[in-house]
Amino acid sequence: MACNSLCFCFSGEPLRPDEYGGEGGRGAAYEKYATNRETFQLGMGDAPLRAPLQCCIGGLPITFICCQWHMRYRALNHVAPGSEWENYLCCQGYLPACLCFQPGHCGEREFPRTCMCLEACLCPGLAVSSTRFLLMDMYHLAADECDNRIIRFNNFVQVLSCVCHCIAMFNRNFRHLARLLDLIAEIVFFATAGCMTAQVDAEINYRDGYDSRKLSEGFSGYFSVHQDERLGGAVAYKTPRGSGEKPPPFAGTPLLTEEMDR
């Protein structure tokens, strides 16, 4: 695969238990995601070849904000059909409250569309990732090795660019290198975002088709919404009607390896 040749020096494995910080560490809540075995129908490494149009639309700066706005709307209404923007939160509650940033209290209820536009503009990486996490939580999905490599490669380039800018503050000889790395970091980020957007789009299309097939076979289901007081938000999930099956527990927060810096 292309990602193996480009990102071969980056691990494709999820975080190990010791990397979570141990019991009670800041990443302890993420450990349960490492047991997920289901993967996306479309890997990020295959997206440019199998969904080039979606990659381009999701990865072009001129269409990025509108595309992420539309994808969040699709994901929210896939998880809870007909809910429109009722369940929208800034970063869907995946980013913990910090100082003045309080998900659920940032005007989302009054102006969800405007808040989503601002989220895509000011926090582009989290905007893409949060939409993806909605599906990961609902279907217990995990990233494959190629996904992990691409995301780690992107994060590495972003950090390298920041470090080079810091060095350039004290040594002017690094200024041209910092600008070059800035350009490379932008290209890598939007390419990664495009692949991630195509992956989410393909998963929603696949799941919608799967649900339609089940309905044609006489399956009837409903979507329940579980409120999580810690985040002040909601996550919906599907449970067969009359099956007596308990809905899955609220997933909480995304995988540390999955957060895309930007």
Side-chain angles (χ1 to χ4, degrees):
M1 295 176 69
C3 75
N4 290 330
S5 58
L6 179 63
C7 313
F8 68 93
C9 57
F10 296 91
S11 172
E13 298 296 322
L15 290 179
R16 300 185 305 273
D18 60 292
E19 293 178 298
Y20 290 110
E23 186 175 354
R26 74 178 184 89
Y30 302 95
E31 190 170 1
K32 57 185 176 183
Y33 290 90
T35 61
N36 287 352
R37 292 293 177 265
E38 295 293 325
T39 57
F40 286 90
Q41 297 300 312
L42 177 65
M44 291 174 62
D46 297 326
L49 294 178
R50 294 176 56 187
L53 180 61
Q54 289 86 340
C55 281
C56 289
I57 295 175
L60 287 175
I62 194 171
T63 57
F64 179 83
I65 294 177
C66 293
C67 182
Q68 299 315 315
W69 188 96
H70 175 69
M71 290 308 299
R72 181 67 60 82
Y73 177 82
R74 282 194 68 196
L76 288 171
N77 286 270
H78 171 77
V79 169
S83 63
E84 294 292 321
W85 291 94
E86 284 182 21
N87 296 328
Y88 170 75
L89 289 175
C90 285
C91 301
Q92 289 310 121
Y94 289 112
L95 186 66
C98 179
L99 300 177
C100 60
F101 178 76
Q102 302 287 332
H105 303 281
C106 297
E108 301 102 314
R109 301 305 179 195
E110 295 81 10
F111 309 103
R113 297 168 180 81
T114 302
C115 288
M116 183 59 220
C117 287
L118 291 174
E119 179 186 329
C121 182
L122 301 177
C123 309
L126 285 169
V128 181
S129 297
S130 297
T131 302
R132 185 170 180 254
F133 293 142
L134 278 174
L135 299 184
M136 293 179 72
D137 282 341
M138 183 175 184
Y139 297 112
H140 305 287
L141 299 172
D144 63 21
E145 290 188 2
C146 187
D147 292 358
N148 287 333
R149 287 193 174 99
I150 291 175
I151 294 170
R152 282 185 168 120
F153 174 65
N154 171 75
N155 293 347
F156 170 77
V157 174
Q158 308 305 324
V159 172
L160 183 62
S161 176
C162 290
V163 170
C164 196
H165 271 287
C166 291
I167 296 174
M169 293 172 62
F170 304 98
N171 189 332
R172 299 183 61 181
N173 295 326
F174 280 86
R175 291 185 177 180
H176 292 296
L177 178 60
R179 290 170 183 167
L180 177 61
L181 282 175
D182 233 6
L183 177 61
I184 294 174
E186 292 284 350
I187 294 173
V188 170
F189 169 77
F190 281 110
T192 303
C195 292
M196 195 173 285
T197 300
Q199 183 181 62
V200 171
D201 179 73
E203 193 68 26
I204 293 176
N205 291 338
Y206 171 79
R207 299 290 177 174
D208 282 344
Y210 175 79
D211 288 344
S212 297
R213 291 194 298 273
K214 296 299 287 186
L215 285 171
S216 67
E217 296 169 6
F219 173 86
S220 179
Y222 65 91
F223 282 82
S224 300
V225 176
H226 173 77
Q227 297 287 342
D228 188 278
E229 297 299 332
R230 295 169 301 167
L231 298 177
V235 166
Y237 37 74
K238 189 166 187 176
T239 306
R241 187 186 302 276
S243 66
E245 179 184 338
K246 292 183 178 180
F250 180 72
T253 44
L255 281 166
L256 288 178
T257 52
E258 295 308 309
E259 289 193 24
M260 186 170 67
D261 287 348
R262 193 59 183 163

